[in-house]
Amino acid sequence: MPLLIVAFGIILLLILITGFKLNTFVSLIVVSFVVSLALGTPLKDIVTTIEGGLGGTLGHIALIFGLGAMLGRLIADAGGAQRIAMTLINKFGEDKIQWAVVVASFIVGIALFFEVGLVLLIPIVFTMAKELKVSILHLGIPMAAALLATHSFLPPHPGPTVIAGEYGADIGLVLLYGIIVAIPTVILAGPLYTKFAKKIVPDAFKKTGNIASLGEQKTFKLEETPGFGISVLTAMFPVLLMAIATILDMVQKSVGFEDNTLIEIVRLVGNASTAMLLSLFLAFYTMGIARKTPIKDVMASCTSSIAAIGMMLLIIGGGGAFKQVLITGGVGDYVAELFKGSAMSPIILAWLVAAILRVSLGSATVAAISTAGLVIPILAQYDVNLALVTLATGAGSAICSHVNDAGFWMIKEYFGLSMKETFSTWTVLSTIASVSGLGFILLLNSSVIIAGIIIVLIIIGAVYFSMTDRTKDKRNTVGI
């Protein structure tokens, strides 16, 4: 019965969002009330349960999410993201242009949320495709793969950040493992899949696309933008701080030395919230003051970034409310009892639940948060790496983007694709990223050394495959 009620709740949520076009946040709150009643939660506890779930989720993520949005917007508005992309594209050269796009999108994707990164990078991709006379999808698929991987696996993106908090995972460890998983995932879903996509839907690579709906984009002359090094440092600074603290913790556990004041300071600085705050202050200087930008313009960028993510914060909170309803209503305990004594890994279970919810609901973030309500009670039965469970949930929430996902329509419209072509490119790409991500997570769970060797071999093989197939690729490109 509990699982039937959850299924009913998901169907109701789908009907409200897609059928009645109701706002996603409002739909989540309505479904949370309905599911609470159906699960038999005492009437006096329903509102406090929903408020507790919403507040608990936002209480953990709001600081990181808000500061991350400000950081990303400052880098974009100052031209730092454009400098990163154009410099890498110029350095890599025409023959390795896909790899330049992958690296640029990965770096930019760490600082910018998926939709923002997509809107920022697509005009650059279109410009480069036109100059080099290659298909826009030849560059667009690697770009989308990199942005999706950072969105699914790397804090401060909402999915991995929220889930790390819900599971009690070390967010620095999530970031470190996330980078290890994301790199080979991007290679498989990006440059390598592009070669197969050209054979599956060759007509899609003849499309010219349409970015008129983006309006007039803010562009800079390269000499007007911040330097490449300082732009990369600003974008990667929170990653560096969190990685240093995480590595120090790992060394301390293996060596066994005692805490001291220096270690505590490093741990404080490497905390996700502190790292984001320090990175924002660095961006105030590098993207603003150092470029003689008036402080009121810097603050205006920060304000506009928060206005843009206001609804996203509410939707995340609504997902947290629904998650708490499932836990309070005993659904999580019921699922835990079903899997008691089961040989199924909680990593695979978390991926599977998130994948089902993703296909049903469309929103990767809502799917990931809702998964926590079903998986958290199970985790107590296993001695499992919570960082890897977090990544598995993120991988599952990336699978099979289709018509109920905003990203599907963005890719379709910007690249001028038909429905079939969008399914054959973007939907397949997201599925490859999800499944291969799970594979690399399981490898890490079994052996970090083996996983490292396989990932290195994939990178070497991908580069070799790209180099040897270069002539063939040039024959398949089209003028735009």
Side-chain angles (χ1 to χ4, degrees), residues 106 149 178-188 455 459:
F106 195 88
I179 292 174
I180 295 173
V181 170
I183 290 173
T185 298
V186 170
I187 291 172
L188 291 177
I455 289 169
I459 294 173

Side-chain angles (χ1 to χ4, degrees), residues 6-293:
V6 173
F8 166 75
I10 292 170
I11 292 170
L12 176 61
L13 185 62
L14 199 57
I15 291 172
L16 291 176
I17 294 173
T18 60
F20 291 94
K21 308 298 180 185
L22 202 62
N23 176 275
T24 304
F25 170 69
V26 176
S27 300
L28 282 165
I29 298 302
V30 169
V31 169
S32 295
F33 270 99
V34 172
V35 171
S36 283
L37 289 168
L39 289 172
T41 303
L43 297 180
K44 63 184 178 64
D45 294 336
I46 290 178
V47 173
T48 55
T49 297
I50 291 173
E51 289 177 346
L54 190 149
T57 299
L58 289 183
H60 173 72
I61 192 180
L63 187 58
I64 300 171
F65 196 26
L67 294 174
M70 292 182 193
L71 175 65
R73 180 57 64 90
L74 285 174
I75 294 170
D77 286 354
Q82 182 177 326
R83 165 70 82 165
I84 292 169
M86 297 307 296
T87 301
L88 287 171
I89 287 169
N90 292 334
K91 290 290 184 184
F92 273 75
E94 180 178 347
D95 290 338
K96 305 183 190 70
I97 189 66
Q98 277 191 319
W99 296 101
V101 170
V102 165
V103 176
S105 301
F106 195 88
I107 295 173
V108 170
I110 291 174
L112 299 177
F113 301 133
F114 178 82
E115 293 83 359
V116 180
L118 195 63
V119 169
L120 180 72
L121 290 174
I122 276 183
I124 297 174
V125 164
F126 271 59
T127 300
M128 296 311 301
K130 186 174 182 178
E131 288 181 6
L132 300 176
K133 293 183 171 55
V134 299
S135 165
I136 53 174
L137 270 184
H138 180 71
L139 305 181
I141 289 178
M143 175 200 69
L147 292 176
L148 179 62
T150 55
H151 176 78
S152 302
F153 299 124
L154 303 184
H157 287 271
T161 304
V162 173
I163 297 305
E166 298 291 350
Y167 290 158
D170 184 317
I171 198 166
L173 205 55
V174 172
L175 176 64
L176 206 59
Y177 285 154
I179 292 174
I180 295 173
V181 170
I183 290 173
T185 298
V186 170
I187 291 172
L188 291 177
L192 292 186
Y193 177 62
T194 303
K195 298 182 183 301
F196 292 99
K198 287 177 181 177
K199 299 174 182 178
I200 298 170
V201 278
D203 289 344
F205 287 80
K206 300 175 184 177
K207 299 295 179 68
T208 57
N210 180 17
I211 56 173
S213 60
L214 293 178
E216 186 176 349
Q217 297 299 301
K218 189 174 182 180
T219 56
F220 305 84
K221 293 180 180 178
L222 205 58
E223 60 270 18
E224 296 174 346
T225 60
F228 174 74
I230 200 66
S231 298
V232 172
L233 175 64
T234 305
M236 299 290 289
F237 198 60
V239 175
L240 293 173
L241 293 180
M242 286 188 276
I244 290 170
T246 301
I247 292 170
L248 180 64
D249 278 341
M250 293 171 69
V251 171
Q252 185 184 24
K253 288 176 182 176
S254 61
V255 176
F257 54 82
E258 296 293 326
D259 276 353
N260 56 48
T261 303
L262 178 61
I263 291 175
E264 290 178 358
I265 291 173
V266 172
R267 196 172 287 140
L268 172 63
V269 170
N271 178 278
S273 298
T274 311
M276 293 307 304
L277 181 61
L278 293 175
S279 300
L280 183 62
F281 277 108
L282 176 66
F284 286 162
Y285 178 76
T286 59
M287 300 291 120
I289 296 170
R291 304 182 65 246
K292 296 181 171 53
T293 302

